[in-house]
Amino acid sequence: MNLDQLIEQYLGSQGRARKELLKKVLAGDPDPRQATRLAPTLRDPSPRVSARITALLARHQLREVFEQQLVGLKPGKLAILRSKFEKISGPPR
């Protein structure tokens, strides 16, 4: 199964299965295009999923994609995710 197929499977899953699939997806080292496809799952209620997607977006310097996903999040979660993004990606350019 290639990485794009694994991403499709991940996007259609829920719960524990989703977390296990995310591990496999991240092990496949997604490129920026694939990271953008995963971006909406940053809004997942699981802090672990949110943190991993934030880290992925930060590694690829996808600040605009990251910021689009923050709309409507609670202020506390928003601050935590922004802080994590900044630590990984460095200051805004």
Side-chain angles (χ1 to χ4, degrees), residues 38-91:
L38 293 167
T41 61
L42 177 130
R43 303 175 65 80
D44 192 280
S46 166
R48 182 172 287 163
V49 170
S50 296
R52 288 181 176 171
I53 297 298
T54 297
L56 176 65
L57 295 174
R59 278 196 311 271
H60 289 296
Q61 299 290 319
L62 296 171
R63 183 175 303 278
E64 190 173 308
V65 174
F66 171 73
E67 289 292 334
Q68 290 172 354
Q69 300 308 315
L70 298 180
V71 175
L73 292 180
K74 292 181 179 180
K77 185 171 184 174
L78 196 131
I80 291 168
L81 294 178
R82 273 202 177 117
S83 173
K84 181 169 186 66
F85 189 95
E86 295 302 324
K87 284 180 190 175
I88 296 169
S89 71

Side-chain angles (χ1 to χ4, degrees), residues 1-11 21-35 37-38 56 60:
M1 179 179 301
N2 71 31
L3 189 54
D4 285 321
Q5 291 170 329
L6 199 54
I7 289 171
E8 280 303 314
Q9 193 176 0
Y10 164 74
L11 293 173
L21 285 168
L22 180 58
K23 288 180 190 176
K24 292 178 184 178
V25 167
L26 294 176
D29 195 27
D31 62 28
R33 177 190 58 82
Q34 293 164 328
R37 283 186 58 212
L38 293 167
L56 176 65
H60 289 296

